[in-house]
Amino acid sequence: MYFAALLARTEDGWEASDTELDDVETLSDLADLAREASPDEDTVLVLIEQEDAWFGVVRVDGEEDPRIYVSDAAAAARSSYGEILLTDELLGRDPDDGDDLDALDLDGTEDGESDEDDDDAEESVGIAGAADVPHGPVGDALILDDLGVSEKELRLMSTDAVTEIAESLGASETLETVR
């Protein structure tokens, strides 16, 4: 089960709204959705959580590029919502490689090299042939630092991270209105 909400910081505190991600296909779409939640270009947080599996935070500050944190990239990679957050840049991939199988150098056998490391190569191929996605957190762990959630606190969050983040921001009551 998924939960997604927008938290927009205003002069009066945080405002929350639940959000449907069905029409969101890219990070750009998600950032646009976040910007619409705050016409004054204030900070907007998109909080996404898949129960007991992973959570993600996208921070949009005005027209700046979105900042992203995902608690478990491998778990998120198995989710259509997670795939939106796991950009090539976030995973350290070259975006020009895309899904072109000729561009992937999985084990070197296409160059006539030994295939004795087949087991390792199979492990490095994720869902649908995607390149290796790390288990564990990826992204900007300092994403909420200036809002009172340190890197250490963020990395220690697990099962109900969205609620923990809202509590740390002083927005738990606001978030509960949309849950």
Side-chain angles (χ1 to χ4, degrees):
M1 179 156 156
Y2 291 95
F3 175 72
L6 295 172
L7 282 178
R9 187 167 61 174
T10 67
E11 292 177 4
D12 301 325
W14 291 96
E15 291 181 8
S17 58
D18 62 342
T19 186
E20 282 294 322
L21 299 178
D22 294 340
D23 295 331
V24 174
E25 295 180 8
T26 66
L27 181 60
S28 213
D29 294 343
L30 188 60
D32 290 344
L33 183 69
R35 287 184 184 103
E36 289 171 13
S38 179
D40 296 330
E41 295 191 5
D42 291 322
T43 297
V44 178
L45 302 175
V46 181
L47 305 173
I48 303 171
E49 180 177 72
Q50 182 181 3
E51 195 171 287
D52 297 329
W54 66 275
F55 71 92
V57 179
V58 177
R59 178 176 177 162
V60 178
D61 294 301
E63 291 300 317
E64 292 181 28
D65 288 340
R67 296 167 56 193
I68 305 165
Y69 176 82
V70 176
S71 66
D72 186 339
R78 295 185 294 270
S79 156
S80 58
Y81 297 138
E83 288 179 347
I84 294 169
L85 306 182
L86 297 175
T87 63
D88 288 333
E89 181 181 345
L90 191 70
L91 295 173
R93 295 181 186 157
D94 182 359
D96 294 332
D97 287 347
D99 290 331
D100 182 5
L101 293 178
D102 292 334
L104 294 177
D105 184 10
L106 300 177
D107 63 2
T109 57
E110 64 274 2
D111 294 329
E113 295 175 17
S114 168
D115 61 355
E116 63 191 50
D117 294 329
D118 275 350
D119 292 337
D120 293 337
E122 287 174 19
E123 289 175 17
S124 73
V125 178
I127 305 294
D132 188 27
V133 176
H135 290 273
V138 294
D140 184 355
L142 296 173
I143 192 169
L144 301 173
D145 195 55
D146 65 322
L147 300 174
V149 181
S150 71
E151 174 181 3
K152 181 179 178 180
E153 291 170 312
L154 189 62
R155 289 185 187 273
L156 290 174
M157 291 181 183
S158 58
T159 48
D160 199 11
V162 168
T163 299
E164 291 179 52
I165 290 169
E167 285 175 6
S168 296
L169 299 175
S172 58
E173 288 181 26
T174 304
L175 181 67
E176 284 306 311
T177 62
V178 298
R179 224 181 229 271

